[in-house]
Amino acid sequence: MSKIGKLPVAIPAGVTVTVANNVVTVKGPKGELKQDFASDVKVEVKDNEVLVALSNNSKQANAFHGLYRNLINNMVVGVTTGFSKTLVITGVGYRAEVQGKTLMLNLGFSNDIFVAIPEGLTVTADAQGKVSISGINKQEVGEFSAQIRKLRLPEPYKGKGIRYETEVIRRKVGKTGVK
């Protein structure tokens, strides 16, 4: 039995969780999320808690036990507080700007890069080179921020590129030019 899967998911006030036809639906003040789940686990709502239980004792069912419990927990957190990631753009002349539903990035290439902002995400950019991505779905927020970071990975010599705000880039010493 999974250690994470055994823990119940608390349902805060203002959030409703419904389970029907192997689909969990979570509605809250920020929106609504749905998640399909495998028939190897049983999901039930009791006393303002969501319980995930095993329907058989296979290795796959045990893996799904913890997975679906965490996915449901992320859905509950998403519809109440939401998720956000902050990217930092470092480099001379590197900048980001939000134009409607498009993120315009100048990353030292000959042309600007235009990235469409997915539905359900909010992106803000400030003059100091910080781009904040927020939304209710943790997977979408993480995937979009990873796609933006991949456009110009941080390099270890000068630290130029796009990195997460909490990420630490290990710097390397360049050539000394000794003859």
Side-chain angles (χ1 to χ4, degrees):
M1 195 168 204
S2 170
K3 291 180 185 179
I4 295 173
K6 287 191 285 188
L7 301 173
V9 178
I11 302 173
V15 176
T16 59
V17 178
T18 57
V19 180
N21 299 332
N22 285 356
V23 176
V24 177
T25 306
V26 180
K27 293 180 186 174
K30 290 195 176 240
E32 175 182 348
L33 292 171
K34 293 184 179 191
Q35 175 68 47
D36 297 340
F37 62 91
S39 59
D40 291 336
V41 294
K42 293 180 280 190
V43 179
E44 53 188 344
V45 180
K46 285 186 180 176
D47 303 327
N48 287 337
E49 289 183 334
V50 179
L51 302 172
V52 181
L54 294 170
S55 59
N56 59 40
N57 277 338
S58 68
K59 189 173 183 181
Q60 185 69 40
N62 195 26
F64 281 153
H65 190 209
L67 169 75
Y68 287 119
R69 186 265 175 208
N70 241 2
L71 288 176
I72 293 169
N73 185 48
N74 287 342
M75 291 166 60
V76 170
V77 171
V79 297
T80 53
T81 60
F83 294 99
S84 70
K85 287 199 180 248
T86 304
L87 299 171
V88 178
I89 300 174
T90 307
V92 177
Y94 290 12
R95 60 187 170 83
E97 184 180 327
V98 177
Q99 300 171 343
K101 293 299 268 174
T102 307
L103 178 64
M104 190 274 299
L105 297 164
N106 185 345
L107 300 175
F109 299 117
S110 59
N111 295 323
D112 292 343
I113 299 170
F114 294 94
V115 181
I117 299 171
E119 197 68 34
L121 294 183
T122 306
V123 178
T124 58
D126 65 0
Q128 286 78 34
K130 288 192 177 185
V131 177
S132 297
I133 302 165
S134 59
I136 62 171
N137 192 334
K138 186 175 185 179
Q139 293 167 326
E140 289 177 1
V141 170
E143 179 65 29
F144 187 66
S145 59
Q147 287 174 358
I148 298 299
R149 182 181 179 273
K150 197 166 93 173
L151 294 173
R152 181 66 106 174
L153 295 173
E155 54 99 12
Y157 296 103
K158 292 185 179 179
K160 296 185 341 182
I162 303 173
R163 64 177 175 84
Y164 295 111
E165 190 174 40
T166 58
E167 183 179 14
V168 176
I169 304 299
R170 292 183 63 200
R171 301 291 292 271
K172 292 183 180 178
V173 178
K175 294 182 181 179
T176 57
V178 177
K179 294 183 182 178

